[in-house]
Amino acid sequence: DDAAHVEALWHRARELFADWDLNGSAEARWHGNLNIRRKGLDVARLMSDCRDVMFSAGSACASGSGRPSHVLQAIGLSAKKAKSSIRLGFGRYNSMEQLELAAEKLINAASQQG
């Protein structure tokens, strides 16, 4: 049941963030993790604008360092693309409604950036 729920959240998140670029493979990954980017995104500003949404900058390996993720760079992203990336995680304790509300807030705030 948990795996099916995570898959449903993954597919809905991919629909909601359809015009954002996916970092990494869509198939060869855990679907409880979504790492996406948007050209020109100021992640620090997005974090400030969306303080009530839990998400991270870049990848787990670089969280809090302020540096571009070496993992995202290893899969071919430039430092600029890596720095315009965010990571969302979801699982058994997240509802579809929570995902949709978080996505709406993130998308709206990102669109205000230009």
Side-chain angles (χ1 to χ4, degrees), residues 4-5 16 21 25 29 37-38 40-41 64 86 98 106 109 112:
H5 179 65
L16 293 166
D21 295 312
S25 170
R29 71 177 318 127
R37 70 182 183 279
R38 181 177 167 149
L41 183 67
I86 63 170
Q98 288 172 321
L106 291 169
Q112 297 300 309

Side-chain angles (χ1 to χ4, degrees), residues 9-30:
L9 291 169
W10 162 263
H11 289 291
R12 182 65 180 136
R14 295 283 288 134
E15 290 171 359
L16 293 166
F17 291 99
D19 37 334
W20 293 49
D21 295 312
L22 175 67
N23 294 326
S25 170
E27 294 83 28
R29 71 177 318 127
W30 165 241

Side-chain angles (χ1 to χ4, degrees), residues 18-110:
D19 37 334
W20 293 49
D21 295 312
L22 175 67
N23 294 326
S25 170
E27 294 83 28
R29 71 177 318 127
W30 165 241
H31 283 174
N33 178 293
L34 181 66
N35 197 304
I36 53 178
R37 70 182 183 279
R38 181 177 167 149
K39 185 178 180 179
L41 183 67
D42 181 339
V43 175
R45 180 176 164 194
L46 187 67
M47 288 182 152
S48 178
D49 292 343
C50 297
R51 292 176 191 212
D52 59 341
V53 178
M54 305 274 302
F55 69 101
S56 301
S59 73
C61 301
S63 285
S65 73
R67 297 184 315 261
S69 163
H70 68 278
V71 172
L72 294 178
Q73 290 181 298
I75 64 169
L77 270 64
S78 67
K80 187 175 182 177
K81 286 182 178 178
K83 286 191 125 191
S84 66
S85 298
I86 63 170
R87 177 173 42 92
L88 302 168
F90 33 79
R92 74 166 66 172
Y93 299 112
N94 300 114
S95 69
M96 192 66 69
E97 294 77 21
Q98 288 172 321
L99 171 63
E100 291 171 348
L101 180 59
E104 179 182 0
K105 289 178 179 185
L106 291 169
I107 292 165
N108 287 340

